[in-house]
Amino acid sequence: MRKLLNTLYVTSPNTYLSLDGENIVILKDDVEALRVPLHNLESIIAFGYTGASPALMGACAKRNIALSFMKSSGKFLGRVVGEVRGNVTLRKAQYRLSDDGAESHRIAKSFILGKIYNSRWVVERATRDHGARLNVEKLKGVSQTLANALQLAENSKDLEQLRGVEGEAAAQYFRVLDDLILQQKDAFYFKARNKRPPLDNVNALLSFVYTLLAHDAAAALETVGLDPYVGFLHRDRPGRISLALDLMEELRAVYADRFVLSLINRREVGPDGFTRMENGAVLMDDDTRRNVLKAWQSRKQEEIKHPFLQEKMEWGLVPYAQAMLLARFIRGDLDGYPAFMWK
């Protein structure tokens, strides 16, 4: 199994990323602020309008270090991609499956079954751990609805029908997400999912963490030789990492949402770290963003047992494991794609 290396998050404004030998050097106002060996890194994410030297971008591409640029809000701007990994036959097989509606539906169904299963598990886990503080009857009702949605998704006939099931299941899951927020309820509440822009503190956190997860999913797909821009559930759109969005569907609730809930319930973030703009958008300040990134990196290092591979691995390697399993299926080594179903 691949070794989990570090992700370098650059959040300071007015910085420039350069290369010195085998090291990345971060310059702030032309003064060296940090030096990190490249061999310790698997990815770099720069927030704000940070510049990078062509030499560094070339070194990252050569070493398969994912280098992504984001706005301060977390909105994806672009990424540096090096030589295509894997072989041409794998990607050609991926493109053929993507162009086939029935095969796309078959693969997309696995993603959605994983998503609904994990969403239901998050609800069930909450009733088990915090039943005395929650409306258990309400949560059990949503859990049963999600159980029914699993059957509907399994029996869906095409992508359109599958998307309808997924949309209704997501609406039911988000209907009780606010119930799972147990602390700081005055400042952290969830009424509905909104993202362009996020209109409350919880949606600001969700959007930011989803962006981090999408980066990790895209990097994992590139590592195993798949094209992150050609998906099965999410269809082709210029500039959209459709397959990465497919892959992260099954990880949203169990990985990203649980992480956001823990940040709030453990008071690792507070209301003072968010600002409402004139257009209603809610943004995190720099200190809060750094706290979230530090906690995210710690979460990625927590060890779990993969439910299909039955191997111990860090959470940060789960996107890679799923990308590897998807590549095995596309190559014909597996009869189906085994979604990540955690409990």
Side-chain angles (χ1 to χ4, degrees):
M1 177 57 67
R2 180 171 176 260
K3 182 180 178 181
L4 180 66
L5 298 176
N6 295 315
T7 298
L8 175 64
Y9 301 101
V10 183
T11 61
S12 301
N14 305 318
T15 54
Y16 185 77
L17 310 182
S18 64
L19 182 70
D20 182 12
E22 294 296 311
N23 302 292
I24 176 176
V25 178
I26 301 177
L27 302 173
K28 187 171 183 179
D29 299 324
D30 296 325
V31 177
E32 182 176 323
L34 183 67
R35 176 181 293 259
V36 180
L38 285 175
H39 68 262
N40 288 336
L41 299 176
E42 67 177 3
S43 62
I44 302 166
I45 306 179
F47 294 91
Y49 295 97
T50 305
S53 71
L56 175 65
M57 290 189 283
C60 289
K62 181 179 179 181
R63 293 167 175 78
N64 198 32
I65 298 173
L67 174 57
S68 295
F69 297 93
M70 316 279 189
K71 288 185 177 180
S72 297
S73 62
K75 181 178 175 58
F76 176 79
L77 290 173
R79 62 191 291 113
V80 174
V81 179
E83 181 181 355
V84 173
R85 303 283 166 171
N87 57 64
V88 66
T89 58
L90 175 61
R91 291 204 174 198
K92 288 180 71 174
Q94 176 189 352
Y95 300 150
R96 283 194 296 269
L97 291 174
S98 180
D99 287 337
D100 186 315
E103 289 295 338
S104 288
H105 171 247
R106 177 189 176 195
I107 301 170
K109 185 162 62 174
S110 293
F111 295 136
I112 297 307
L113 288 172
K115 178 179 183 177
I116 298 174
Y117 178 95
N118 289 329
S119 297
R120 182 175 184 240
W121 178 84
V122 169
V123 174
E124 284 288 338
R125 178 73 175 265
T127 63
R128 187 192 74 186
D129 292 348
H130 307 289
R133 305 176 61 181
L134 298 171
N135 185 339
V136 173
E137 184 178 355
K138 176 183 177 183
L139 293 178
K140 286 293 186 180
V142 168
S143 176
Q144 184 58 53
T145 300
L146 293 175
N148 296 338
L150 284 170
Q151 192 62 46
L152 292 173
E154 181 64 46
N155 295 332
S156 62
K157 303 302 182 183
D158 52 36
L159 281 171
E160 183 177 358
Q161 190 176 22
L162 179 65
R163 290 191 185 102
V165 173
E166 184 274 333
E168 179 59 30
Q172 290 295 314
Y173 165 73
F174 280 134
R175 188 166 70 87
V176 295
L177 188 64
D178 186 67
D179 296 63
L180 308 188
I181 300 171
L182 305 176
Q183 302 289 338
Q184 309 184 85
K185 295 288 288 188
D186 290 342
F188 293 94
Y189 49 83
F190 184 88
K191 305 302 181 185
R193 178 73 179 117
N194 47 73
K195 49 189 175 181
R196 295 188 184 93
L199 302 177
D200 56 63
N201 297 348
V202 177
N203 273 291
L205 284 168
L206 287 173
S207 292
F208 186 70
V209 173
Y210 287 164
T211 299
L212 298 178
L213 182 55
H215 163 89
D216 291 347
L221 291 164
E222 288 170 349
T223 299
V224 301
L226 292 169
D227 188 337
Y229 291 87
V230 179
F232 303 102
L233 177 68
H234 295 83
R235 307 311 291 172
D236 298 348
R237 182 185 298 175
R240 183 169 74 174
I241 46 176
S242 296
L243 188 57
L245 298 179
D246 286 356
L247 190 70
M248 67 182 278
E249 287 291 355
E250 62 206 70
L251 301 176
R252 286 180 186 267
V254 74
Y255 191 3
D257 296 355
R258 287 181 65 237
F259 171 72
V260 168
L261 290 170
S262 69
L263 288 175
I264 299 168
N265 290 335
R266 294 177 182 176
R267 298 181 181 271
E268 295 181 49
V269 295
D272 294 341
F274 298 81
T275 302
R276 184 175 297 278
M277 311 302 290
E278 291 183 1
N279 65 350
V282 173
L283 302 178
M284 287 184 286
D285 64 22
D286 291 342
D287 287 340
T288 300
R289 188 181 301 110
R290 280 191 287 269
N291 289 339
V292 172
L293 291 171
K294 181 179 179 180
W296 179 250
Q297 191 67 7
S298 295
R299 177 61 60 89
K300 288 170 67 174
Q301 294 169 354
E302 292 180 6
E303 195 171 76
I304 64 166
K305 189 174 183 179
H306 192 282
F308 179 80
L309 296 173
Q310 292 297 300
E311 293 182 17
K312 288 185 177 181
M313 66 179 65
E314 296 93 341
W315 263 113
L317 283 178
V318 171
Y320 169 78
Q322 294 307 117
M324 179 184 64
L325 291 170
L326 181 60
R328 287 181 181 177
F329 163 70
I330 291 174
R331 283 197 299 263
D333 298 334
L334 293 173
D335 293 334
Y337 166 69
F340 182 83
M341 295 185 175
W342 181 245
K343 189 173 182 180

